[in-house]
């Protein structure tokens, strides 16, 4: 088991001034406004805009309960992660915590699975952005747009962590403003306070009419959970980024404490507006997308193009953060000896250049697979990384159960954020995650079974590598220790007479 790294002080990790050829380590280049917007924007993924229509079609207005259930799960998991990260902010976040709490095999496995998830996301988001951009400027082919988007954001991440933070501040800011405006305008329309809206179509009656609040039965709530759970991935990014801020502990505490209202407003609030403005079974929701259909119902001109711009911003934000997150996880793995040492080297600006380039290289390969083998290789990559979010949350639960005891024993004053009703609520959260994973095995209609089976297969392969690595490395360490002990045993220990002879000779 390795010790948990700390990255907030330049020079105290690989890549510090003492390492030849390295830079000055990760640097505190993120400002408080950057962290605040990263924390807010991290919850709002492109999946909220793009994927909510299928959830509404499956569960009807009851999709609100699906979002509420997953939102509660995210709040609890983030509370656990906040407890550990506030006590020891690090670029490895939950992977570094798992390394210390459960063993190096856990940190290795969940770190590489998380990295794999995000480099696949790079390809998904780059392609989604390219589709929108090609629609606006068809003279440039889709693959070229994907290449341009990837290159621009790679360059941004390579400059400095501050440039990443600045781009993310504006990307996330646009998302936040758009969602807030949508909720306010839509809310006024729902309650009949917005002129020019068809009152017979918009209203709270849409929640109970057209087959009732649960038109497909209570079981549809769980099916809805499977469809919306992955759109919440990204809420943990703030804990990784906090390690490069001026006050990591304060940043983590603030992000953890604000997660409740962020989930309530941006997810539950906006979905509530959508299902109140339109009947859940409206064909326009599945045809045009839930948010576009809602804007169209308000008579807002060019609603589709407006939403395309917002989705593009969300895609760029997700891609920007995905590259940052993957590279920092690779950096942390390199620190702990779980990845090539070059991953832990930084430039003079505190940028882990090799980790960034390695991550984006795999992203380019995934983009290639998306264009050449979309229904085979790329589909495998997407499905095999699909359940990683749930794996990450489960590992956070088990890590927190152990880390609470470690923190209380070593530095109880660092428990500035505490998980509620520990350990009972932690165990309940873990049980809920296991239940969702089990329920996915029964879902054949929405590829839930295929996703969980392939994800478990990849997780098993990574675990095998982790255990083999730990056994080989442990054997080498034991052999080295034995050689050192044997060498010390063969070296004669000076007796008192020998020392007297040395003194006399001197």
């Amino acid at each position: 088991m390795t010790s948990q790294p700390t990255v907030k002080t330049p020079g105290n990790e690989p890549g510090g001034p003492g390492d030849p050829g390295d830079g000055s380590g990760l640097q505190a280049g993120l400002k408080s406004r950057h962290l605040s917007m990263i924390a807010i924007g991290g919850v709002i993924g492109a999946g909220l805009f793009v994927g909510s229509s299928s959830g509404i079609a499956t569960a009807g207005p009851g999709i609100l309960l699906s979002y509420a259930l997953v939102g509660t799960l995210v709040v609890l998991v983030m509370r656990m992660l906040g407890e550990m990260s506030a006590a020891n902010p690090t670029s490895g976040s939950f992977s570094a915590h798992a390394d210390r709490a459960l063993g190096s095999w856990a940190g290795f496995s969940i770190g590489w699975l998380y990295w794999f998830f995000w480099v696949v996301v790079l390809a998904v988001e780059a392609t989604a952005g390219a589709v929108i951009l090609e629609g606006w400027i068809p003279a440039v082919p889709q693959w070229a747009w994907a290449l341009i988007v990837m290159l621009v954001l790679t360059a941004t991440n390579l400059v400095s962590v501050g440039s990443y933070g600045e781009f993310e501040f504006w990307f996330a800011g646009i998302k936040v403003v758009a969602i807030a405006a949508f909720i306010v305008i839509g809310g006024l329309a729902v309650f009949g306070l917005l002129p020019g809206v068809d009152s017979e179509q918009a209203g709270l009656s849409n929640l109970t009419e057209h087959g009732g609040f649960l038109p497909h039965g209570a079981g549809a709530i769980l099916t809805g959970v499977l469809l919306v759970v992955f759109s919440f991935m990204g809420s943990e990014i703030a804990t990784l980024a906090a390690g490069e801020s001026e006050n990591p502990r304060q940043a983590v505490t603030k992000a953890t404490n604000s997660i409740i209202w962020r989930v309530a407003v941006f997810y539950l609030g906006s979905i509530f507006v959508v299902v109140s403005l339109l009947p859940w079974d409206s064909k326009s929701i599945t045809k045009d997308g839930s948010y576009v259909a809602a804007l169209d119902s308000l008579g807002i001109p060019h609603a589709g193009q407006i939403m395309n711009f917002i989705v593009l911003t969300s895609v760029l934000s997700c891609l920007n953060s995905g590259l940052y997150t993957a590279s920092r996880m690779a950096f942390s793995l390199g620190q702990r000896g779980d990845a090539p040492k070059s991953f832990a080297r930084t430039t003079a600006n505190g940028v882990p250049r090799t980790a960034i380039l390695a991550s984006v290289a795999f992203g380019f390969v995934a983009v290639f697979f998306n264009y050449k083998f979309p229904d085979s290789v790329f589909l495998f990559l997407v499905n095999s990384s699909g359940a990683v979010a749930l794996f990450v949350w489960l590992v956070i639960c088990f890590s927190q159960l152990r880390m609470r005891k470690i923190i209380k024993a070593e530095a109880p004053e660092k428990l500035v954020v505490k998980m509620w009703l520990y350990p009972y609520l932690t165990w309940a959260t873990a049980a809920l995650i296991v239940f969702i994973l089990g329920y996915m095995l029964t879902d054949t209609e929405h590829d839930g079974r295929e996703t969980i089976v392939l994800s478990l297969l990849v997780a098993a392969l990574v675990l095998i590598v982790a255990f083999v690595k730990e056994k080989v490395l442990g054997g080498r360490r034991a052999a080295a220790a034995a050689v050192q002990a044997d060498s010390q045993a063969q070296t004669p220990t000076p007796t008192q007479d020998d020392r007297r002879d040395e003194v006399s000779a001197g």
Side-chain angles (χ1 to χ4, degrees):
M1 183 166 60
T2 60
S3 60
Q4 195 172 5
T6 303
V7 301
K8 63 179 179 179
T9 303
N12 67 349
E13 73 277 325
D19 295 328
D22 293 346
S24 55
L26 296 183
Q27 298 178 1
L30 293 176
K31 301 176 182 178
S32 58
R33 65 182 178 89
H34 294 155
L35 262 296
S36 297
M37 199 56 73
I38 289 171
I40 296 173
V43 182
I44 311 172
L48 174 62
F49 301 107
V50 179
S52 56
S53 57
S54 59
I56 293 173
T58 299
I63 194 66
L64 285 168
L65 297 180
S66 301
Y67 274 103
L69 184 61
V70 179
T72 301
L73 184 62
V74 171
V75 167
L76 294 174
V77 170
M78 277 298 296
R79 188 73 185 182
M80 298 177 220
L81 181 56
E83 176 181 299
M84 297 184 289
S85 296
N88 196 348
T90 167
S91 62
S93 187
F94 50 84
S95 175
H97 304 321
D99 187 293
R100 188 177 184 190
L102 306 176
S104 59
W105 64 270
F108 176 96
S109 302
I110 204 64
W112 276 115
L113 285 172
Y114 191 69
W115 178 87
F116 173 59
F117 171 84
W118 279 110
V119 292
V120 173
V121 166
L122 294 182
V124 174
E125 300 297 339
T127 304
V131 170
I132 296 174
L133 289 168
E134 185 189 31
W136 292 344
I137 309 177
V140 180
Q142 192 178 120
W143 66 265
W145 277 122
L147 179 65
I148 291 170
V149 167
M150 292 274 279
L151 289 176
V152 169
L153 293 180
T154 300
T156 300
N157 276 264
L158 285 172
V159 173
S160 69
V161 67
S163 63
Y164 154 72
E166 199 63 31
F167 267 72
E168 190 57 26
F169 176 81
W170 292 106
F171 285 155
I174 293 174
K175 290 192 295 185
V176 170
V177 170
I179 287 287
F182 176 81
I183 292 173
V184 171
I185 295 174
L188 291 174
V190 169
F191 293 101
L193 301 177
L194 190 68
V197 174
D198 185 0
S199 59
E200 294 182 0
Q201 187 179 37
L204 296 179
S205 59
N206 286 324
L207 299 176
T208 55
E209 295 179 355
H210 309 279
F213 185 71
L214 295 171
H216 299 304
I221 297 174
L222 289 176
T223 305
V225 165
L226 303 185
L227 296 175
V228 306
V229 66
F230 305 112
S231 65
F232 282 84
M233 194 66 166
S235 55
E236 71 291 333
I237 293 177
T239 64
L240 281 88
E244 294 178 80
S245 66
E246 296 176 354
N247 194 332
R249 186 164 288 112
Q250 183 183 36
V252 170
T253 303
K254 185 177 180 181
T256 303
N257 291 335
S258 63
I259 186 68
I260 297 177
W261 71 260
R262 286 185 278 135
V263 169
V265 171
F266 294 118
Y267 275 88
L268 292 179
S270 63
I271 294 297
F272 169 80
V273 168
V274 169
V275 294
S276 297
L277 285 176
L278 288 169
W280 69 270
D281 55 355
S282 173
K283 294 182 179 179
S284 61
I285 290 180
T286 53
K287 178 184 176 183
D288 304 323
S290 54
Y291 286 83
V292 172
L295 289 175
D296 278 333
S297 73
L298 298 178
I300 296 178
H302 310 294
Q305 292 303 320
I306 293 173
M307 188 51 60
N308 275 340
F309 174 74
I310 296 172
V311 171
L312 177 63
T313 303
S314 298
V315 163
L316 295 177
S317 172
C318 188
L319 205 160
N320 191 41
S321 288
L323 182 54
Y324 170 84
T325 305
S327 65
R328 268 35 176 201
M329 184 57 71
F331 171 86
S332 178
L333 289 167
Q335 276 189 311
R336 291 175 274 142
D338 291 334
K341 291 183 179 179
S342 59
F343 283 16
R345 294 174 184 164
T346 59
T347 65
N349 291 332
V351 174
R353 180 168 52 198
T354 304
I356 291 175
L357 294 177
S359 300
V360 78
F362 193 95
F364 277 123
V365 171
V367 169
F368 170 76
F369 285 148
N370 190 16
Y371 286 106
K372 293 295 291 183
F373 312 105
D375 298 324
S376 55
V377 179
F378 186 72
L379 185 62
F380 169 80
L381 291 177
V382 172
N383 286 337
S384 61
S385 64
V388 167
L390 292 169
F391 296 163
V392 167
W393 295 347
L394 192 60
V395 168
I396 289 174
C397 292
F398 292 129
S399 298
Q400 190 266 338
L401 287 169
R402 173 78 177 131
M403 279 298 294
R404 167 68 73 90
K405 298 175 182 177
I406 296 175
I407 297 170
K408 287 188 70 174
E410 295 181 354
E413 70 279 2
K414 291 185 178 181
L415 277 173
V416 293
V417 176
K418 292 184 179 181
M419 175 60 182
W420 306 296
L421 297 177
Y422 170 86
Y424 309 108
L425 202 49
T426 301
W427 280 112
T429 305
L432 179 58
I433 295 172
V434 171
F435 173 77
I436 293 175
L437 287 169
Y439 188 76
M440 287 181 69
L441 290 172
T442 68
D443 177 42
T444 56
E445 183 179 355
H446 303 97
D447 298 327
R449 177 180 295 176
E450 183 178 4
T451 297
I452 189 64
V453 169
L454 291 178
S455 296
L456 285 172
L457 175 63
V458 171
L461 292 175
V462 175
L463 277 170
I464 291 172
V465 174
F467 284 121
V468 169
K469 171 188 170 294
E470 191 169 349
K471 186 174 182 179
V472 171
L473 189 59
R476 289 177 180 173
R477 288 174 178 170
V483 170
Q484 185 177 6
D486 184 59
S487 176
Q488 291 175 349
Q490 293 177 5
T491 303
T493 303
T495 64
Q496 189 172 2
D497 291 337
D498 292 333
R499 295 193 185 98
R500 286 174 182 170
D501 292 340
E502 291 175 3
V503 172
S504 298

